[in-house]
Amino acid sequence: MVYLNFTNLDSETQERLLSDSKEDVESRSGTELRQFAKIHDKDYEALLEDEAMRNLYNYDFVFNM
């Protein structure tokens, strides 16, 4: 059995997974993040990026070799 984490992947795969994670976070909690960013005068894109990175560690990665 091989266990990999996000940092063991090549940069192209990391970018694709981060993009997928951003879409996932935005679909689940985009409205709440926008409201939080507006209330606290934060950058929405930076918040989305942080949440997407946290979300990646909730994924189970499956690879076909």
Side-chain angles (χ1 to χ4, degrees):
M1 176 84 49
V2 176
Y3 293 97
L4 298 173
N5 65 26
F6 182 71
T7 57
N8 294 122
L9 305 174
D10 65 16
S11 62
E12 182 180 325
T13 304
Q14 287 181 358
E15 287 299 318
R16 185 174 47 82
L17 289 172
L18 184 57
S19 175
D20 291 347
S21 182
K22 280 182 183 179
E23 290 175 12
D24 185 33
V25 168
E26 194 162 29
S27 70
R28 283 189 291 117
S29 57
T31 305
E32 292 88 1
L33 277 177
R34 278 190 194 87
Q35 289 174 348
F36 181 85
K38 186 176 181 179
I39 290 169
H40 298 283
D41 196 31
K42 302 284 184 182
D43 180 29
Y44 172 72
E45 289 299 321
L47 286 173
L48 181 60
E49 181 94 14
D50 290 344
E51 287 300 315
M53 286 300 288
R54 283 189 205 105
N55 188 48
L56 280 172
Y57 291 98
N58 293 326
Y59 286 173
D60 290 326
F61 298 107
V62 177
F63 300 95
N64 295 325
M65 296 183 161

